[in-house]
């Protein structure tokens, strides 16, 4: 139980339940919810579909997340079809759980107000610049991901309702102070008793082994001596990394590239503006008069931002004091830009400007001069880019050359390496689990263990094992799966059989001693265990575990059991006394948090299991 508590307290599920709901809106996953056109479904949950496109995007998002978390190790994992299938199933299960929670929230009438949605959008990191909500960024992100303002707001509303429901469930759980004390008493508990270890070595030489017994054991355990299918191959491995080491970039070329692409390293001057908009059509005199009056207030000392908040018809910028952030020429109305960029000093305010949208008052709030990044600062970056470009080109050319040569001369790989730095390598015998690293890829293994390919004895096509590695392979020899004969493994069988019989004899002796202890015989000598705790390393781990696995004996009695140690020895373990652990005030708060986390996880899992038990879930397509 204690191990379970510790494991659950560190569980990712609990810590991520609410965080994940926020991450579903992360910039790189926003597009997952765009369904402008009918789309096939992967599952139907209580009549509502989970679209194939949404599922595919969530799978891609999860892959990207794991790749960022695991780094290079992810490439090894992703090469395993079983890993990819598990990942896809986990994503589908997660989407189903989300849909169930969303439906439950809707059925219970949970709602989120417009003001709550608006606040959440403003606080969302993807829409902020320098810690402040930026309307231009907000609209740009939505446009890039195919969202309308209203559509995204409704998506936020739905997800916030789901979060609200989960918080209301999970935050109802609590842990009493008495529970913390009880768990501490159990965790810090100590026990006394004793043990006697029966050595396996004392019985190994006394065991008699007959040929008949060896034959019987071998037949009963033939699968232990199975030899998997094996091949021996020759192959040519191509690695982009080896090409990169041989490429040198001329310094003149680097300088030339910098000068030709100088615009990439230049930052144009830019200006930041605020404005007040009074909407009007066709030069409406009343609107112009209103704008003129507001300009007069500003010229008389009124705060531009406060006037914008109170009067601007551009609601989003108005709430930010009229701020439009930095703008570039060509992005606004020509009349607006002409007046805005005519302002020379920060703080200058324009006259009333008429555009197709109405009348504007414009203020210059900031100006940034352009700059050019010096060649020295970007030289290494350019060198790396040029080298990478050349590596890709040479790697592609090498792939084409090797593929063509191995196809034209299909029964040998030697012509494929002529004129290159590559070599034809020959492997030792290997099976699917022991392939050399260059060949340890599902596509390669599938090829070299294909019966038709083995029978042909010809070169394979070029097989790409990663973005920077590929291989051509040919099977030289093949061994079908078999079982090693008894004569080959007789020594191994004899040793194993002798050990098993010796351990059975030691166990029998241990049980006899245990019966003596249960009967109260005092003549049995034991190694004393005096108030040991769970963490002690002074005695074999298996003995300590056996001591703490026994139920506390009644007063005046002892409990006895046996345990097998890692070295094969057998121990008789006696428990005579159990002492409750002392509470540790310094650890109480931490333990309470762990217990609450564990309870919350179990509560969440039970809630989801309950929803699934009552739901109608149909898997429409294979994931």
């Amino acid at each position: 139980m204690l191990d379970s508590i510790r494991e659950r307290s560190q569980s990712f599920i609990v810590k991520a339940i609410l965080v994940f709901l926020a991450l579903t809106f992360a910039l790189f996953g926003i597009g997952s919810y765009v369904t402008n056109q009918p789309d096939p479904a992967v599952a139907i949950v209580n009549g509502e579909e989970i679209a194939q496109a949404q599922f595919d995007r969530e799978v891609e998002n999860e892959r990207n997340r794991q790749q960022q978390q695991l780094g290079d190790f992810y490439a090894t994992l992703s090469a395993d079809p079983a890993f990819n299938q598990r990942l896809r199933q986990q994503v589908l299960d997660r989407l189903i759980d989300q849909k169930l929670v969303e439906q439950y929230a809707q059925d219970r009438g949970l709602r989120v107000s417009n003001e709550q949605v608006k606040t959440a959008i403003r606080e969302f990191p993807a829409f902020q610049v320098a810690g402040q909500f930026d309307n231009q960024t907000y609209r740009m992100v939505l446009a890039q991901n195919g969202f309308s303002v209203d559509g995204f707001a409704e998506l936020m509303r739905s997800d916030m309702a789901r979060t609200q429901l989960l918080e209301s469930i999970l935050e109802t759980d609590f842990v009493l102070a008495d529970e913390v004390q009880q768990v501490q008493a159990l965790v810090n508990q100590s026990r006394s008793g004793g043990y006697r270890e029966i050595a396996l070595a004392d019985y190994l030489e006394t065991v008699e082994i007959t040929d008949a017994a060896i034959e019987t054991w071998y037949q009963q355990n033939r699968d232990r001596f199975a030899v998997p299918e094996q091949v021996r191959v020759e192959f040519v491995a191509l690695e982009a990394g080896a090409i990169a080491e041989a490429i040198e970039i001329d310094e003149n070329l680097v300088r030339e590239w910098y000068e030709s692409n100088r615009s990439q390293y230049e930052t144009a001057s830019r200006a930041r503006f605020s404005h007040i908009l009074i909407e009007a059509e066709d030069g409406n005199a009343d609107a112009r008069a209103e704008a003129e009056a507001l300009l007069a207030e500003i010229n008389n000392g009124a705060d531009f931002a406060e006037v914008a908040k109170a009067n601007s018809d551009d609601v989003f910028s108005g709430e930010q004091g009229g701020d439009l952030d930095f703008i570039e020429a060509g992005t606004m109305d020509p009349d607006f830009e002409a007046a805005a960029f005519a302002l020379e000093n920060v703080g200058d305010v324009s006259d009333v400007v008429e555009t197709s949208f109405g009348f504007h008052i414009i203020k210059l709030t900031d100006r940034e001069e352009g700059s050019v990044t010096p060649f020295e600062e970007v030289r290494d970056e350019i060198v790396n880019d040029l080298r990478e470009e050349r590596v890709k080109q040479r790697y592609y050319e090498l792939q084409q050359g090797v593929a063509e040569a191995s196809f034209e001369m299909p029964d040998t790989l030697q012509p494929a390496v002529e004129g290159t730095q590559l070599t034809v390598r020959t492997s030792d015998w290997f099976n699917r689990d022991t392939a050399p690293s260059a060949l340890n890829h599902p596509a390669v293994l599938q090829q070299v263990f294909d019966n038709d390919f083995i029978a042909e004895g010809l070169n394979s096509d070029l097989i790409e094992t990663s973005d920077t590695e590929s291989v051509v392979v040919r099977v030289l020899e093949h061994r079908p799966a078999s079982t090693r004969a008894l004569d080959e493994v007789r020594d191994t069988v004899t040793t194993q059989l002798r050990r098993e019989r010796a351990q059975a004899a030691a166990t029998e002796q241990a049980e006899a001693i245990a019966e003596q202890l249960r009967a109260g015989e005092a003549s049995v000598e034991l190694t004393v265990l005096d108030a040991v705790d769970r963490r002690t390393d002074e005695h074999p781990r298996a003995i300590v575990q056996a001591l703490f696995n026994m139920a506390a004996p009644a007063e005046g009695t002892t409990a006895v059991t046996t345990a097998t140690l890692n070295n094969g020895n057998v121990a008789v373990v006696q428990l005579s006394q159990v002492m409750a652990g002392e509470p540790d005030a310094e650890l109480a708060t931490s333990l309470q948090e762990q217990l609450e986390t564990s309870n919350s996880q179990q509560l969440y899992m039970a809630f989801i299991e309950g929803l699934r038990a009552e739901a109608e879930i149909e898997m429409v397509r294979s994931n």
Side-chain angles (χ1 to χ4, degrees):
M1 184 194 78
L2 298 176
D3 290 339
S4 178
I5 288 175
R6 281 191 288 271
E7 290 173 3
R8 289 170 178 165
S9 70
Q10 302 301 319
S11 170
F12 173 77
I13 297 176
V14 173
K15 298 176 181 178
I17 285 173
L18 301 179
V19 174
F20 176 77
L21 294 174
L23 289 179
T24 49
F25 292 107
L27 177 58
F28 117 138
I30 288 178
S32 303
Y33 298 91
V34 181
T35 52
N36 293 328
Q37 298 180 354
D39 189 38
V42 291
I44 301 176
V45 182
N46 291 328
E48 293 188 32
E49 293 184 349
I50 296 176
Q52 178 74 50
Q54 178 186 0
F55 169 74
D56 290 341
R57 293 188 189 98
E58 287 297 325
V59 168
E60 186 62 25
N61 289 346
E62 180 63 17
R63 284 176 176 155
N64 290 338
R65 186 190 68 79
Q66 293 200 17
Q67 187 171 21
Q68 291 175 2
Q69 180 178 358
L70 300 175
D72 294 340
F73 183 59
Y74 176 78
T76 302
L77 291 177
S78 62
D80 181 2
F83 168 81
N84 289 302
Q85 183 59 34
R86 286 194 300 271
L87 182 146
R88 294 174 69 84
Q89 186 61 50
Q90 290 168 0
V91 170
L92 180 58
D93 288 341
R94 188 169 65 211
L95 289 174
I96 291 173
D97 292 346
Q98 288 180 1
K99 179 64 70 176
L100 288 170
V101 174
E102 180 182 330
Q103 292 171 345
Y104 186 90
Q106 292 173 347
D107 293 344
R108 268 67 184 172
L110 291 180
R111 298 292 183 267
V112 178
S113 70
N114 291 337
E115 191 60 34
Q116 287 175 302
V117 173
K118 189 175 180 180
T119 300
I121 290 175
R122 290 189 175 281
E123 294 177 351
F124 197 74
F127 306 141
Q128 294 186 352
V129 175
Q132 297 294 323
F133 175 79
D134 181 72
N135 186 56
Q136 184 177 356
T137 300
Y138 167 64
R139 292 180 177 275
M140 179 185 68
V141 171
L142 294 191
Q144 288 175 346
N145 290 276
F147 273 108
S148 67
V149 171
D150 291 340
F152 183 73
E154 287 307 308
L155 181 61
M156 285 288 288
R157 190 188 311 277
S158 174
D159 201 74
M160 289 172 68
R162 188 165 64 241
T163 303
Q164 184 182 61
L165 170 65
L166 290 177
E167 287 178 339
S168 67
I169 293 174
L170 299 179
E171 291 183 1
T172 60
D173 190 71
F174 58 90
V175 175
L176 297 173
D178 285 349
E179 292 180 80
V180 177
Q181 290 183 356
Q182 290 172 8
V183 172
Q184 279 198 313
L186 190 56
V187 170
N188 298 329
Q189 185 185 92
S190 60
R191 296 188 169 199
S192 295
Y195 69 94
R196 179 171 175 179
E197 193 170 343
I198 312 300
L200 180 67
D202 294 343
Y203 297 88
L204 285 174
E205 299 304 323
T206 64
V207 172
E208 293 186 5
I209 305 296
T210 65
D211 289 342
I214 293 173
E215 175 68 30
T216 300
W217 194 95
Y218 170 78
Q219 293 299 334
Q220 292 174 344
N221 297 274
R222 284 175 60 90
D223 57 328
R224 297 192 184 190
F225 306 107
V227 179
E229 182 182 19
Q230 294 179 304
V231 291
R232 195 171 67 87
V233 306
E234 66 175 9
F235 63 97
V236 176
L238 291 70
E239 299 178 6
I243 297 175
E245 294 175 0
I247 290 180
E248 295 184 0
I249 304 298
D250 182 80
E251 190 68 20
N252 292 330
L253 180 62
V254 180
R255 173 67 72 172
E256 180 182 338
W257 197 97
Y258 173 79
E259 296 297 338
S260 300
N261 296 273
R262 193 181 184 86
S263 60
Q264 295 186 22
Y265 305 104
E266 294 181 344
T267 301
S269 300
R270 60 178 191 163
R272 185 169 190 159
F273 301 97
S274 292
H275 84 134
I276 298 170
L277 169 66
I278 304 301
E279 293 180 341
E281 296 181 0
D282 300 328
N284 183 283
D286 291 339
R288 175 181 287 277
E290 181 180 352
E292 294 284 1
L294 295 177
L295 176 60
E297 290 183 26
I298 294 169
N299 289 337
N300 289 329
D303 183 75
F304 189 98
E306 294 300 325
V307 175
K309 288 181 181 179
N311 300 279
S312 181
D313 289 332
D314 184 347
V315 178
F316 273 104
S317 70
E319 292 185 358
Q320 302 298 313
D323 181 39
L324 294 174
D325 207 339
F326 288 94
I327 64 174
E328 297 178 1
T331 60
M332 304 291 283
D333 182 277
D335 293 329
F336 181 97
E337 287 188 2
F341 287 103
L343 299 173
E344 296 181 356
N345 302 311
V346 172
D348 287 353
V349 178
S350 72
D351 293 330
V352 173
V353 179
E354 183 178 359
T355 72
S356 58
F357 297 98
F359 298 95
H360 303 259
I361 305 169
I362 307 169
K363 179 179 180 180
L364 175 62
T365 59
D366 196 6
R367 186 186 296 279
E368 292 182 356
E369 298 300 327
S371 62
V372 178
T373 304
F375 170 77
E376 292 73 16
E377 291 185 17
V378 296
R379 177 196 170 280
D380 291 345
E381 177 185 335
I382 296 174
V383 170
N384 290 336
D385 289 344
L386 291 175
R387 178 177 286 110
E388 182 177 350
E389 182 180 344
R390 291 196 175 185
V391 166
K392 288 180 179 179
Q393 180 63 30
R394 292 191 186 180
Y395 181 60
Y396 173 75
E397 293 172 353
L398 187 60
Q399 283 184 314
Q400 294 299 107
V402 169
E404 291 175 4
S406 60
F407 176 77
E408 293 172 357
M409 300 289 288
D411 58 350
T412 177
L413 286 172
Q414 197 58 45
V417 300
E418 292 179 357
T420 73
Q421 299 296 317
L422 302 174
T423 59
V424 178
R425 297 156 61 184
T426 302
S427 75
D428 293 327
W429 288 99
F430 66 89
N431 58 48
R432 294 177 183 271
D433 297 324
T434 60
S437 58
L439 306 177
N440 191 16
H441 186 276
V444 178
L445 296 176
Q446 182 178 359
Q447 181 80 70
V448 299
F449 286 100
D450 178 85
N451 290 332
D452 292 337
F453 180 70
I454 293 171
E456 289 175 352
L458 301 179
N459 301 330
S460 71
D461 293 332
L462 186 78
I463 304 172
E464 293 190 342
T465 56
S466 73
D467 292 340
T468 59
E469 297 177 325
S470 51
V471 66
V472 179
V473 63
R474 184 169 71 91
V475 176
L476 298 176
E477 294 182 83
H478 172 253
R479 289 175 180 168
S482 62
T483 301
R484 298 177 67 186
L486 175 57
D487 288 343
E488 295 181 61
V489 297
R490 180 176 294 273
D491 290 344
T492 301
V493 171
T494 301
T495 299
Q496 185 62 36
L497 180 56
R498 186 182 300 280
R499 184 179 180 86
E500 288 181 6
R501 291 194 172 183
Q503 194 163 61
T507 301
E508 184 178 352
Q509 176 64 19
E511 290 292 348
I513 295 174
E515 286 301 321
Q516 292 177 355
L517 291 172
R518 294 187 185 105
E521 296 183 17
S523 60
V524 179
E525 294 184 5
L526 300 176
T527 300
V528 175
L529 295 169
D530 184 19
V532 299
D533 61 30
R534 300 173 188 274
R535 297 173 291 275
T536 184
D537 57 3
E538 296 180 3
H539 306 282
R541 193 67 205 154
I543 291 175
V544 176
Q545 289 177 338
L547 185 73
F548 279 89
N549 284 341
M550 285 186 280
E555 187 175 352
T557 65
T558 62
V560 183
T561 190
T562 61
T564 301
L565 281 57
N566 290 336
N567 61 5
N569 293 350
V570 182
V572 182
V573 185
Q574 181 183 58
L575 171 63
S576 58
Q577 187 178 9
V578 176
M579 289 77 75
E582 292 296 327
D584 187 335
E586 294 183 2
L587 297 178
T589 301
S590 174
L591 180 59
Q592 181 168 350
E593 292 176 354
Q594 292 177 15
L595 292 172
E596 289 174 349
T597 299
S598 177
N599 290 351
S600 295
Q601 178 194 3
Q602 295 180 63
L603 183 61
Y604 173 76
M605 293 176 65
F607 174 63
I608 293 298
E609 288 174 3
L611 294 181
R612 280 181 171 263
E614 298 178 0
E616 293 183 6
I617 302 173
E618 178 185 355
M619 301 300 178
V620 180
R621 300 172 57 145
S622 172
N623 58 40

